[in-house]
Every structure is written in structure tokens, then in C-alpha cells.
Amino acid sequence: MPIPSICWLAALVALLALEAATVGLVSLWFAVGSLCALLTSFFVGNIWVQFAVFLAVSFLCLVIIRPLARKYADPRRESTNADRVVGAEGVVTQAIDNLKAQGQITVNGAPWTARTEEGCPAIPAGSRVRVLRIEGVKVIVSPLPVPTPGR
């Protein structure tokens, strides 16, 4: 067996061992590339051609197959209860005042400590608000416009 073939075989074994030791798809693409380079080394003696085959196959596997593998290998991510309140409307149960570090709302039946964005005025109890984001254990809200009766 020629020396380049032994090197490609060693690279293949090392990359497969690395892939087996890791949780995600890390080196599989390069293992496929080294396998193709190993097969090429039996027919072509030029190391640069073998290296080009290795790079081309590794790149193609990485670009084409990896997104498909990630799509089907990753578990579907579900929103947590906390994620579900972002964008939801709530009712202020305790006046929100950033200067006094107080405020509470109820969103989807659950109470949350609430604050407004910097520069927003205090929001009185009974007002409707929209949750913008979660920071730690507090929700950041903005007031919703008060609906006016139709004419």
C-alpha cells in the first residue's frame, strides 16, 4: 500500500473516531472526503489530486448534506411557557413604576413581575399591555392604546 494511501486511511480512522466521540455531526464530512481521497490514491499517484478530491468532497458534503442532516437530526424545539408570553397581551394588576421597582401583570392566567422600557412613564393598574421580551424573571412591557368607543 503506497504511503499516501496509508495517510488517507489513518485520517479516515481518526476522523471516524472523532465523530464517534462527539455528540454532533462534526467530522463526518471530512471522513467522507478522506475516504474518497483514499479511493483516489489507488488510481492516481499525484498527492495534489488526492488532496483536491478530499477538499472538494468534504466541502460538498458540508454544504449540501449537513443542512439536511441538521434539519432531521435536531429535535423540534417547542416554546416554553416563558417564550409563549412574548408578544402576548396582559393586564396590569399592580401599577408598573420603574423608579419604585414595582409592577405586576397577569398574562395567560399567570402573574409576572413587570417593568417598562427605559423612558416609558408608569402604567396604572387595570391597563392593558403587550409583553416585549423577558429579562431574567421580569417581563418588559409597553402600554396598549386605550380603545375609544365607536361613533
Side-chain angles (χ1 to χ4, degrees):
M1 184 178 257
I3 298 290
S5 299
I6 294 171
C7 292
W8 289 119
L9 181 61
L12 175 63
V13 170
L15 289 166
L16 287 175
L18 178 65
E19 183 64 37
T22 58
V23 179
L25 299 171
V26 176
S27 62
L28 181 65
W29 326 113
F30 304 109
V32 172
S34 63
L35 174 64
C36 290
L38 172 64
L39 295 174
T40 303
S41 71
F42 293 132
F43 302 106
V44 178
N46 188 336
I47 190 70
W48 295 109
V49 172
Q50 298 168 23
F51 193 68
V53 167
F54 168 76
L55 288 177
V57 171
S58 296
F59 179 76
L60 286 175
C61 286
L62 191 64
V63 170
I64 295 171
I65 300 172
R66 186 170 190 256
L68 295 173
R70 287 189 64 166
K71 179 180 177 183
Y72 294 109
D74 281 350
R76 300 284 182 224
R77 294 191 180 160
E78 302 260 342
S79 293
T80 64
N81 289 337
D83 294 334
R84 290 184 183 132
V85 301
V86 175
E89 291 183 15
V91 177
V92 178
T93 55
Q94 178 189 20
I96 302 171
D97 189 342
N98 288 355
L99 296 176
K100 294 180 183 176
Q102 68 180 20
Q104 189 171 10
I105 66 169
T106 300
V107 181
N108 298 334
W112 284 84
T113 301
R115 299 291 183 266
T116 60
E117 289 193 294
E118 289 295 321
C120 287
I123 302 174
S127 301
R128 297 199 55 80
V129 293
R130 180 170 312 277
V131 176
L132 301 175
R133 64 184 178 279
I134 299 174
E135 289 183 2
V137 294
K138 298 178 187 107
V139 291
I140 307 300
V141 299
S142 66
L144 289 175
V146 179
T148 56
R151 293 182 188 176

